[in-house]
Amino acid sequence: MEVRGSVPPEPAPATAPAIPTQTPRPYEGAWRFTAPAVDSSVPQARHAVRDLIADRQIPADDELLHGLLLIVSELVTNAVRHAALLSPEITVELATGADWVRVAVEDNHPYRPKALQADSSDIGGRGLLLVKAITAEAGGMCDVEHTESGGKVVWAALPLPESAAP
């Protein structure tokens, strides 16, 4: 698994009025990598995101870091288990702004998952419910969006700790 580098933010349209902006922090940007839709990609994606957070010095405290890594694990697991047939490769993205961090997993399967209440005897089926709970507790947001290619992106954005804000 190889991180493909920083994705610069899209430039503002030429007709937009000039808005004063602050200098971006060194940790702001977006990084994407692809992985095969196989079980071994779950820990590899989690480790890659953890390493990116450390390497880019993203100001995530322990609680935020653990939440993000659990979200990555759940989203990659869902893509591997439910989308691999139509999407043999998945894309993981980590993006940060001045006061937020976002993780997303993209696959080429058109099915849009929903958080389900699993029966207490079920050993699975709570991944998206867990992602929603972690995101809500942190004061963030999550969603599922269709891609132009007919697949989907499942993402969660969480606020960075107050001490990281400008």
Side-chain angles (χ1 to χ4, degrees):
M1 202 176 309
E2 181 179 332
V3 176
R4 292 192 176 157
S6 181
V7 178
E10 292 187 22
T15 58
I19 299 173
T21 60
Q22 292 184 326
T23 305
R25 290 179 166 66
Y27 60 80
E28 290 183 58
W31 301 269
R32 294 171 64 91
F33 55 90
T34 58
V38 296
D39 289 339
S40 61
S41 291
V42 177
Q44 289 176 351
R46 187 176 54 246
H47 294 304
V49 168
R50 183 199 60 209
D51 292 347
L52 268 170
I53 289 171
D55 293 346
R56 300 301 303 176
Q57 298 179 359
I58 297 169
D61 59 22
D62 285 344
E63 185 175 350
L64 176 62
L65 180 62
H66 292 301
L68 282 169
L69 296 179
L70 183 53
I71 289 170
V72 168
S73 293
E74 292 298 332
L75 296 183
V76 173
T77 297
N78 283 351
V80 166
R81 287 193 180 152
H82 304 294
L85 185 61
L86 296 177
S87 185
E89 189 172 77
I90 60 172
T91 300
V92 179
E93 180 180 81
L94 175 71
T96 58
D99 56 359
W100 55 269
V101 60
R102 177 183 184 261
V103 292
V105 175
E106 180 178 342
D107 63 57
N108 290 319
H109 196 291
Y111 174 70
R112 187 179 173 129
K114 293 178 177 61
L116 303 173
Q117 294 286 347
D119 187 288
S120 61
S121 62
D122 293 338
I123 58 170
R126 295 180 188 86
L128 242 105
L129 193 63
L130 184 58
V131 168
K132 285 182 163 229
I134 292 167
T135 304
E137 186 174 314
M141 5 187 257
C142 60
D143 202 1
V144 180
E145 297 173 357
H146 289 287
T147 62
E148 289 183 18
S149 65
K152 67 183 166 301
V153 175
V154 185
W155 59 268
L158 306 177
L160 289 172
E162 291 290 326
S163 59

